[in-house]
Structure formats: C-alpha cells, structure tokens
Amino acid sequence: MTLFDPDTQPTASPSSASQPPGGARTAASPGVNEAIRMSLPGDLRGAAAPSSFGRGHAQSRQSKRRSHAEDARFAAVREDERQQIAQQIHDDLGGVLTGLKACISVVMDRATRAGAAPDPLLVDAAALADLAFQTVRKIAMNLSPPMLEQMTIWTALECQVTRLSRRTGIDIDFSIDPNLASIALGEARMTAVFRLICEALTNIEKHSQASRGSVRVAATGRSLSVTVSDNGIGLRQGAYRSGMTLGISGMSEQAKRFGGELVLTTDCDGGTVVQLAMPLGLDDGA
C-alpha cells in the first residue's frame, strides 16, 4: 500500500495550470472578470461595472412624459365630445321639450277661454315638461360648463356655491387661496377641477342631509389641494353610498386623468370629507 506523500505527488506545469479542460483561453472568462471587479475597492467597483440605472431613469421619465401627453390628448378629445353632446342635448332634446310645453299651454289656454278649468293631468304635464327642460339644461351645462367661458373658474365656483346655498338653505363657506389667481390651470384641467367640485356640491345637496358645508382650495408648491366637507350623515349610510357611486366613479376618473388622487372619508363629527390632490404640471398654462 502506498502512503500519501505530498513531496512525491506530481505537480502541474505552469502552462497546464493556466488552461482549463477543453482547450486554452485567449481572454479571461466572465467569471474571472467578475472576480477581479469584486476585488476592487467599493468606490471603484461601481465604476468598473456598467450600470443601466441612468438609462432606466431616463426611459422612465420619457415614459411618464409620453403618458401625460397621451392623457392630455385623450382629455382634449373627451372634452370635444362632451361639448358636442351638450350642444345636441340642448338643441334637439331641449327643442322637443319646448314644443311639448307649448302644445300643453295652448290646450290649457283654450280650456280657460271656454270657461272650463284646465285638466289636472295637463297641469301636471306642464310642470313635468318644465322640470324636464331644467334637467336638460343642467346636464348640458355639466357636460360643457358655459360659465368657464365667461368668468374664471373660482368666480364660477363661487356662483355655484351661492346658488346652492340660496336654493337649499345649506350654509356653505367658500375659501380660495389668493395665490391661485396667478396660476393658469389650462383648459382641460380647469374644467376637470370645476366638475369635481360641482359634483361634490351636488352630493351635499342630494345625499348629505347637511345644514353646513365648506369648500377649501389651496395651492401648495406644484400641487392643487381641494377639500369639500359637510356636517351631514357621512358615508356610513348605505343609501348615501349607493346614490353617490356613479358620481364618485366619474370624479375619481377625472382626478386620475391628471395624475391626481381623490379620497372620501367620514370625519369625526359624522360628515363627509372629499379631498382632491392634483399636481400642477408645466403645461397647465397651455
């Protein structure tokens, strides 16, 4: 039996030690390069390794810019569609309702001239025609608010708040950051913010059972902050939630289109708080 003796074991020649099985290499393998890189000091190690962070960050910025541009184009197309629909509703459906009310009025006048009382059904029909025409006008105005063509968004919102308070008796406090006077939101973003606040006010009128409310709008850095609150029944009531579902969905869609976020909560006193945070992009003045 032969005992292991390190002094008698064959040693590999320098040439054979540098060549792995399968043939000689003319260049260092990736594994060798990695070992060399890892042996460098930390500050040199990062410089020795090609990094894709810079390229990835630039691509991310480009992707966001493209996304914002696409959102802006989409919003512009949607706004054009809304204006066309609003015009058709006002002209076509409004015209039909006007003709219907005229016919009802003529029949009622004939009965009155003949010394007879108008048919109660005709009286109800005339009232319903008036209500339908008011609804058509309201829908058309919401689709394409004409107020924004005649005044600033903040003046238009103040008018909306005043009308709601006069109509419902709900006391609504309206507060606008003076810095907003020097900020141009851009047509699409301005219309979206107007609709969002109007929808929140509509929810107060229809669902909240509130006696007081408030609207707060402020500019913080490059962000727009909107808070609409009331002292009503809050979001815990199932009827309130179901009645607001469609409106909330539309509000959230409008906010997301401009990179914003919409949050609805119930405050400690039980009322509802609608909060909107929306970035003010560089193209807001466009």
Side-chain angles (χ1 to χ4, degrees):
M1 180 175 64
T2 304
L3 297 178
F4 174 77
D5 184 355
D7 294 334
T8 62
Q9 295 304 307
T11 58
S13 64
S15 61
S16 63
S18 63
Q19 296 182 5
R25 294 184 181 178
T26 58
S29 67
V32 174
N33 284 336
E34 179 66 12
I36 294 174
R37 188 182 71 84
M38 294 303 294
S39 68
L40 295 173
D43 55 345
L44 295 179
R45 188 184 308 163
S51 173
S52 62
F53 175 77
R55 292 193 301 271
H57 191 58
Q59 291 173 354
S60 177
R61 290 198 304 269
Q62 292 176 358
S63 177
K64 287 181 179 179
R65 283 196 294 267
R66 285 195 299 268
S67 177
H68 290 162
E70 290 173 359
D71 289 344
R73 285 194 295 269
F74 179 73
V77 172
R78 286 287 298 271
E79 190 59 36
D80 289 342
E81 292 176 349
R82 286 176 184 269
Q83 291 178 0
Q84 292 175 10
I85 294 172
Q87 193 67 42
Q88 289 178 340
I89 289 176
H90 183 273
D91 293 346
D92 299 342
L93 189 54
V96 171
L97 290 173
T98 300
L100 177 62
K101 175 65 182 298
C103 291
I104 295 174
S105 297
V106 169
V107 175
M108 292 175 63
D109 288 343
R110 287 176 179 175
T112 300
R113 287 197 299 268
D119 190 317
L121 290 177
L122 288 178
V123 176
D124 291 343
L128 290 173
D130 284 335
L131 180 60
F133 187 73
Q134 293 174 10
T135 302
V136 165
R137 290 192 61 185
K138 184 176 181 180
I139 292 173
M141 289 180 64
N142 288 337
L143 285 171
S144 181
M147 300 176 68
L148 297 183
E149 299 177 0
Q150 304 167 3
M151 59 188 74
T152 68
I153 176 177
W154 314 123
T155 303
L157 285 171
E158 188 174 9
C159 290
Q160 292 291 87
V161 168
T162 301
R163 290 175 181 174
L164 187 147
S165 296
R166 186 185 303 123
R167 182 172 63 250
T168 64
I170 301 175
D171 182 19
I172 299 180
D173 183 39
F174 186 65
S175 176
I176 297 293
D177 185 345
N179 294 328
L180 288 169
S182 61
I183 297 177
L185 297 181
E187 184 176 354
R189 195 179 303 258
M190 176 181 64
T191 304
V193 172
F194 181 82
R195 288 201 183 102
L196 282 165
I197 297 178
C198 286
E199 181 63 31
L201 291 172
T202 298
N203 287 334
I204 291 178
E205 178 181 3
K206 290 185 176 180
H207 308 293
S208 71
Q209 300 178 24
S211 60
R212 296 190 312 277
S214 69
V215 178
R216 300 279 186 272
V217 186
T220 305
R222 295 299 299 172
S223 295
L224 179 72
S225 173
V226 177
T227 302
V228 182
S229 61
D230 63 67
N231 67 341
I233 61 177
L235 297 173
R236 287 187 287 269
Q237 298 289 335
Y240 191 4
R241 288 195 300 269
S242 62
M244 290 175 60
T245 298
L246 183 59
I248 291 173
S249 176
M251 292 165 68
S252 181
E253 178 186 349
Q254 290 277 355
K256 289 179 180 178
R257 187 171 299 153
F258 294 94
E261 182 181 12
L262 187 75
V263 178
L264 279 79
T265 57
T266 298
D267 65 16
C268 57
D269 296 327
T272 301
V273 179
V274 179
Q275 293 178 300
L276 168 68
M278 181 181 291
L280 298 176
L282 296 176
D283 59 338
D284 289 336

